[in-house]
Amino acid sequence: MTSPAASDRCRPRWLARALETHVALPLFAVLPLLAIWVATFHFIETERRAAVGAARDAVREQLETYEAQVARNLNAIDQTLKVIKYSVELNGTHAALPTLRAEELLPPGLVFQVSVADRDGAIVDSNPSMPAHDVSRAPYFTVHANGSGHAVFVSQTVGDTARSEPHLHFTRRIEDGHGRFAGVAIVEVDPAYFTSSYERSRGGELGLLALVGSDGVARAVRIGDKVSWGQPIALDGIGEEALAPQPTAPDGIERYAGARRLAGFPLTAVVGLADSEQMAQYEQHYGTYLVGATAASSLLVAVVAMISAWSWQVAKARRRERQAQQTYAAASEASPDAFFVLRSVTGADGTIVDFLVEGSNSRSELFTGIASEALRGQLLGDALPYYRTNGMWEHLVQVVLEQRVIEAEWQAASGPTAGRWLQRQIVPVEGGAVAMVRDITERKLAEERIRHMAHHDELTGLPNRSLIRDRLDQAVRNAQRNGGHLALAFVDLDGFKLVNDGLGHNAGDELLKVVGSRMEACLRRTDTLGRLGGDEFVILLPEAGESPLALTPVLEKIRQAVTEPVQIGDQAVRVSCSMGVVVYPRDGEDPKTLMMNADAAMYRAKDLGSNNFQFYTREMNASVEAKLVMLEDMRRALDTTLADETHDATDGQAPALQAPAGRFHLLYQPKVDLRTGRLFGVEALIRWRHPEHGIVPPMRFIGLAEESGLIVGLGEWVVRTACRQAQLWRAAGLDPLTVSVNVSARQFEEKRLVDRIAGALRDTGLPPCALDLEVTESLLMRDLNQAIERMRELKEMGVTLSIDDFGTGYSSLSALKSFPISTLKIDKSFVRDLASSSDDQAIALAVISLGHRLHLRVIAEGVETVEQRDFLLANDCDEMQGYLFSPPVPAERITEMLQAQQRQPRDVAQLAGARA
């Protein structure tokens, strides 16, 4: 092999001079210099396109959000108009609003002004109250008076004699029984109500939200913090997609703008983002790229100049080549490291131009893909060209020149070890250096796995409790240093235990991942969503405002995202969430206090019915502690009660007539046929005898049992105990009774409800027709299709179904027609004042008539006076239940009643009932 020195002697002098470092290097430096500027202008153009795309996406996203919000608000206003119109047609113009006010069906007066005008244009009533005035000349009145349309009319934003400040009028035509014009239902709304969702963090100082009528006149316009109205805004040039910036009314500023017509209303939602604000970051980056390219070019020129000046010093390194060879000879061939003995190759001016491989061990073949014999005698640049790009060339030169050891780690980008992590140690020797390379990929991966596992939840990949606490500590320190605020929210899923128990843990895990992903999509990049464990999540919102109202939009967005159905296999499940929110420093000045108070606020949200969020108040901690104590007592009572039941069933004993302290027991309230006066059924009512507090009312513990999931086990015990007692009455030869059991929402949605009911009937021997399940309207309307399917399964089994508290829910007549039920139960709130209230009488008559037309029996609960009974009997109500006949009593008292009823001749009982 020809030595480099011999090769140098064979070259022409001009070629040798051209290959010297101080000549060749500046020529080669032109290429990276050109690459720097080509890449710079490429990045600038890419940044510009990304900024334009981001502006378009932001307009589309905000337009969709604004459209949805305005549509919800308009539908709520239209619903109010329909309710007013219906009330006027039912109760008359003067009694309409008082009736709605008594039923608490009017919207809040702070936001909406509701009024009714008669056919002459006189305001006859309003809420909140305002002076009577004439609106007969107002466009929103004349358009209904002169036409027969039934659509909603939306006025321009104007003031009137009653309210000087400008507002919008939403109106609907009211007709009498002959279809003639009878007046107008009016809802007045401040125009700022429709632009209140404007967020400066998203829209900027010049962003635009507008609500424009079909006449091209703006009903509400918000630009930054300024709200206006009445300006003409041409919609012809604004499409649904913001393709390019254009001047927009009313200020002529160029914006990316989009508009969408709102279905069912003569209105269009418009969103605009100022071009100057959307492209501000791009303009800043443009200058930064130019400065960076200039600096890099200057640095490159300086480095090339320095290397050229230092090239003559390379000759000094040749003396160290022999030392490198000696060092390599001492290296162990069995070492796990790859060894390379390298000798410096210098140019004519003494600079290092390459390294010659004088030797390597067998391990080196794994890193180079070249056998040791083939590698020996080659220039490193020829055999392994990528060593000049992975930092090794610079380190080799530095080691040779500075005579010091250098260690480094890098991830290989090319060669046989591409993608793997390597570690090198370069030691100077006489005339060169020895490089030792080791594969550390497994160590790096293990470190990364350990680091990730230590700070993230294994199931969802979200930050875990440790990382959440670290970020909360940092956020509190930043807020203390800057005098700012932060918000912390505890999130607990409502109904998760039902999914976990009913569909299995795999379904529960999938639900947690989907819900976590949805919540994370609602947050900013600077926010943190973490999972504490189970179905509990934490949201950290740094740089939050001091006012809780500023947090409401994002919290509501999260709540709505969680409540969307989740498809798990062939089952669509729906959960909600309860959130407790604290704000630093108002609700605590350290992380521990903030987390404790957020937890208390979350439990308060649970107490208020779940599916809501609550901000912390000082009174919450005491309530949470008492709640936890009661929950533990209730668990203990259920375990004791179930243990006693198992013992009684083994010994063949009847259920205990009077439960001892610390256990649950049942009372039974008779149901009586109003026409015959005979006892035909009972309702099973649960009671809890607490060892310290005595009898605990169901109102205090049923909600807690529903929230914690204990209601499933407790409800199953109630069904089994009631069925067993009813079968004992039958076995004793007494008149057959129907036993009614209330089913809670959590029980009804539980997947194994039908199997549990079937098991209770099978184990006790009670005929299915003797069991009646009472469900509420609001429970059925939570998931109508699932409710109807579940009810049909129970009906096919032979179990009868009743709607409890009828009249207090929101079921439609079409839904009621679909329910396979046998009985309607008039709620006691309508029975209480039946003797004196004409409204309650009307409702009771309507329920009785409706039930009979649907071939259902009607029972009234809460009957306590003779007057109430007489009214119900006179109006053909079928059954009654209440203290007039008997309060809830133990099972042995029902036995006595049945025995007395058997001794009494049936015709005497019928006569007594008729006289009563």
Side-chain angles (χ1 to χ4, degrees):
M1 180 176 177
T2 305
S3 67
S7 299
D8 289 344
R9 288 193 297 269
C10 295
R11 297 186 186 124
R13 174 172 291 186
W14 64 269
L15 181 58
R17 295 286 296 177
L19 293 177
E20 291 179 355
T21 303
H22 64 276
V23 176
L25 189 59
L27 296 177
F28 285 115
V30 173
L31 295 178
L33 193 63
L34 181 62
I36 288 173
W37 285 100
V38 170
T40 298
F41 288 112
H42 171 73
F43 290 149
I44 289 174
E45 177 60 19
T46 302
E47 184 88 3
R48 187 193 67 80
R49 292 179 181 177
V52 172
R56 293 172 178 172
D57 293 342
V59 170
R60 185 186 306 109
E61 177 188 353
Q62 294 190 34
L63 181 58
E64 291 175 353
T65 303
Y66 185 52
E67 176 193 18
Q69 178 211 359
V70 172
R72 286 195 302 272
N73 295 339
L74 292 176
N75 288 331
I77 291 172
D78 188 29
Q79 186 64 31
T80 300
L81 289 171
K82 291 178 180 178
V83 171
I84 296 172
K85 176 178 179 295
Y86 176 76
S87 183
V88 170
E89 293 172 355
L90 185 65
N91 303 301
T93 56
H94 291 276
L97 292 188
T99 301
L100 295 178
R101 191 180 294 111
E103 297 293 334
E104 297 183 353
L105 295 178
L106 290 177
L110 291 176
V111 180
F112 302 96
Q113 175 78 43
V114 178
S115 56
V116 177
D118 62 15
R119 60 170 46 91
D120 297 323
I123 297 297
V124 298
D125 199 357
S126 61
N127 182 72
S129 179
M130 64 179 180
H133 58 282
D134 184 9
V135 298
S136 60
R137 296 181 181 275
Y140 58 82
F141 181 85
T142 58
V143 72
H144 294 298
N146 298 333
S148 59
H150 296 280
V152 177
F153 178 79
V154 183
S155 74
Q156 296 187 11
T157 306
V158 295
D160 52 34
T161 57
R163 294 176 63 195
S164 59
E165 65 274 11
H167 49 274
L168 283 80
H169 296 79
F170 292 82
T171 59
R172 270 192 176 275
R173 173 187 174 100
I174 300 174
E175 297 179 346
D176 59 17
H178 302 287
R180 295 171 301 189
F181 176 69
V184 175
I186 306 169
V187 174
E188 302 175 22
V189 186
D190 190 318
Y193 174 72
F194 295 100
T195 60
S196 60
S197 64
Y198 185 89
E199 298 182 28
R200 186 178 300 173
S201 61
R202 299 176 65 193
E205 299 291 343
L206 300 175
L208 177 142
L209 290 183
L211 196 62
V212 183
S214 57
D215 55 2
V217 178
R219 278 16 180 206
V221 179
R222 177 164 181 169
I223 300 176
D225 293 331
K226 182 180 179 181
V227 179
S228 59
W229 49 82
Q231 306 94 329
I233 296 181
L235 299 176
D236 296 339
I238 304 177
E240 289 194 6
E241 298 292 334
L243 300 178
Q246 57 181 316
T248 55
D251 53 9
I253 292 177
E254 287 200 349
R255 294 183 176 89
Y256 290 90
R260 288 189 185 175
R261 179 69 182 269
L262 298 172
F265 296 89
L267 297 170
T268 300
V270 181
V271 171
L273 297 177
D275 177 56
S276 59
E277 293 181 336
Q278 296 301 306
M279 302 299 288
Q281 188 175 14
Y282 159 73
E283 296 293 342
Q284 181 182 1
H285 288 181
Y286 177 83
T288 303
Y289 282 133
L290 292 180
V291 171
T294 302
S297 301
S298 302
L299 179 61
L300 178 62
V301 171
V303 170
V304 170
M306 293 174 62
I307 293 176
S308 298
W310 294 341
S311 61
W312 62 271
Q313 299 180 5
V314 176
K316 299 179 182 179
R318 292 181 178 178
R319 294 192 304 268
R320 302 184 181 89
E321 183 177 358
R322 289 187 299 275
Q323 182 180 352
Q325 294 173 344
Q326 296 168 1
T327 304
Y328 173 74
S332 172
E333 183 65 22
S335 172
D337 299 336
F339 283 80
F340 300 88
V341 178
L342 307 173
R343 181 168 59 84
S344 302
V345 178
T346 59
D349 57 352
T351 59
I352 299 177
V353 295
D354 209 335
F355 289 89
L356 184 69
V357 181
E358 291 197 335
S360 61
N361 64 354
S362 59
R363 185 76 174 173
S364 64
E365 185 175 352
L366 299 177
F367 294 86
T368 64
I370 304 174
S372 299
E373 295 77 11
L375 187 61
R376 185 179 298 115
Q378 293 196 48
L379 290 175
L380 202 59
D382 296 336
L384 308 173
Y386 46 83
Y387 93 111
R388 290 185 178 271
T389 61
N390 62 14
M392 181 172 283
W393 160 256
E394 290 81 2
H395 283 171
L396 283 170
V397 173
Q398 192 174 2
V399 166
V400 171
L401 296 179
E402 299 178 4
Q403 289 297 290
R404 65 184 181 91
V405 178
I406 291 181
E407 294 185 5
E409 297 177 355
W410 84 102
Q411 189 173 21
S414 57
T417 57
R420 302 188 69 80
W421 279 94
L422 306 175
Q423 181 187 51
R424 61 174 173 257
Q425 183 182 46
I426 305 176
V427 180
V429 295
E430 181 67 26
V434 173
M436 292 164 281
V437 182
R438 173 178 296 181
D439 189 337
I440 59 170
T441 303
E442 296 302 324
R443 191 193 79 191
K444 281 286 188 180
L445 292 177
E447 290 174 355
E448 182 62 27
R449 283 195 299 269
I450 293 172
R451 186 160 47 248
H452 188 274
M453 291 172 60
H455 295 95
H456 291 81
D457 174 55
E458 182 179 0
L459 175 64
T460 62
L462 296 173
N464 61 10
R465 185 184 298 269
S466 174
L467 185 55
I468 291 169
R469 187 171 294 279
D470 288 344
R471 293 188 180 178
L472 179 58
D473 290 342
Q474 183 63 38
V476 170
R477 286 194 295 270
N478 291 340
Q480 289 173 342
R481 183 168 54 252
N482 303 326
H485 300 80
L486 65 88
L488 184 71
F490 266 33
V491 183
D492 186 86
L493 301 185
D494 308 318
F496 173 77
K497 189 175 187 302
L498 182 62
V499 176
N500 219 27
D501 294 344
L503 300 180
H505 291 290
N506 291 336
D509 291 346
E510 183 63 23
L511 176 64
L512 288 174
K513 289 190 284 188
V514 173
V515 170
S517 176
R518 287 181 180 176
M519 289 194 290
E520 193 170 25
C522 298
L523 302 177
R524 305 168 299 181
R525 289 184 178 179
T526 56
D527 300 333
T528 296
L529 171 67
R531 181 184 177 216
L532 288 181
D535 60 348
E536 292 184 345
F537 296 82
V538 171
I539 299 174
L540 175 61
L541 304 172
E543 302 177 3
E546 181 178 7
S547 171
L549 293 178
L551 302 172
T552 300
V554 67
L555 296 175
E556 180 62 23
K557 184 179 180 181
I558 293 171
R559 188 192 66 78
Q560 292 181 4
V562 172
T563 56
E564 290 294 323
V566 178
Q567 190 70 29
I568 300 178
D570 58 353
Q571 180 78 28
V573 300
R574 186 192 299 267
V575 295
S576 59
C577 65
S578 299
M579 290 184 278
V581 189
V582 294
V583 177
Y584 170 88
R586 185 193 66 186
D587 301 324
E589 297 183 354
D590 60 87
K592 181 178 180 181
T593 303
L594 289 172
M595 295 187 75
M596 180 181 68
N597 291 341
D599 193 47
M602 183 268 291
Y603 275 105
R604 179 59 176 167
K606 290 277 191 184
D607 289 338
L608 295 178
S610 301
N611 196 21
N612 69 96
F613 53 86
Q614 294 294 316
F615 292 92
Y616 172 77
T617 60
R618 296 182 184 276
E619 295 78 12
M620 289 181 177
N621 281 330
S623 174
V624 170
E625 292 176 2
K627 184 177 180 180
L628 292 175
V629 171
M630 176 170 284
L631 179 60
E632 184 59 32
D633 290 345
M634 189 162 52
R635 291 182 190 277
R636 190 180 299 109
L638 179 58
D639 291 341
T640 304
T641 303
L642 293 177
D644 290 348
E645 177 183 346
T646 303
H647 181 267
D648 293 342
T650 303
D651 294 346
Q653 298 179 7
L657 299 178
Q658 182 64 45
R663 292 164 176 78
F664 293 99
H665 64 281
L666 294 184
L667 297 180
Y668 301 89
Q669 187 170 33
K671 294 182 177 181
V672 181
D673 190 297
L674 272 170
R675 297 180 180 86
T676 65
R678 293 183 64 84
L679 169 63
F680 70 90
V682 293
E683 179 178 3
L685 301 171
I686 190 170
R687 295 293 185 267
W688 177 18
R689 187 182 299 277
H690 194 278
E692 297 176 6
H693 307 300
I695 297 297
V696 180
M699 186 179 300
R700 287 187 57 192
F701 67 85
I702 289 297
L704 184 57
E706 182 86 4
E707 173 189 332
S708 63
L710 281 178
I711 194 66
V712 176
L714 193 59
E716 183 177 8
W717 173 82
V718 171
V719 171
R720 285 185 172 275
T721 304
C723 290
R724 188 161 64 251
Q725 181 59 62
Q727 182 61 21
L728 288 173
W729 284 326
R730 285 174 171 261
L734 301 175
D735 290 344
L737 289 181
T738 299
V739 60
S740 299
V741 178
N742 290 288
V743 178
S744 71
R746 190 110 183 215
Q747 285 178 271
F748 195 79
E749 294 171 351
E750 204 263 328
K751 190 174 182 180
R752 297 186 58 241
L753 172 68
V754 177
D755 294 338
R756 294 178 189 274
I757 298 296
L761 294 171
R762 181 179 59 252
D763 294 345
T764 60
L766 185 70
C769 61
L771 177 62
D772 178 68
L773 299 181
E774 297 186 1
V775 294
T776 62
E777 282 184 276
S778 55
L779 181 155
L780 298 175
M781 298 308 294
R782 288 171 58 155
D783 190 337
L784 183 60
N785 293 332
Q786 180 181 348
I788 293 175
E789 182 63 27
R790 188 66 51 82
M791 294 173 73
R792 285 176 178 168
E793 292 180 30
L794 293 168
K795 188 73 174 179
E796 291 172 0
M797 189 191 303
V799 175
T800 61
L801 297 162
S802 303
I803 293 187
D804 194 9
D805 302 336
F806 184 73
T808 62
Y810 304 95
S811 60
S812 63
L813 294 179
S814 61
L816 181 62
K817 182 179 65 176
S818 304
F819 295 152
I821 58 176
S822 59
T823 307
L824 291 181
K825 198 168 187 179
I826 304 176
D827 184 68
K828 59 186 176 183
S829 62
F830 301 126
V831 176
R832 184 183 303 111
D833 299 323
L834 201 56
S836 58
S837 172
S838 59
D839 290 339
D840 288 347
Q841 292 176 358
I843 293 174
L845 288 174
V847 174
I848 294 171
S849 175
L850 175 64
H852 288 167
R853 286 183 178 275
L854 293 176
H855 307 292
L856 305 175
R857 293 185 65 81
V858 181
I859 182 171
E861 66 175 336
V863 179
E864 298 180 356
T865 66
V866 174
E867 291 79 5
Q868 295 169 348
R869 183 198 61 188
D870 292 342
F871 177 89
L872 294 169
L873 181 61
N875 289 281
D876 294 329
C877 183
D878 301 303
E879 303 159 3
M880 79 168 191
Q881 174 183 348
Y883 276 63
L884 178 64
F885 185 85
S886 172
V889 294
E892 70 270 18
R893 179 65 185 124
I894 299 296
T895 302
E896 295 172 3
M897 293 181 185
L898 291 173
Q899 291 172 344
Q901 183 169 280
Q902 282 188 328
R903 291 192 297 267
Q904 183 181 16
R906 182 172 296 273
D907 56 344
V908 175
Q910 292 176 348
L911 179 60
R915 290 177 178 176

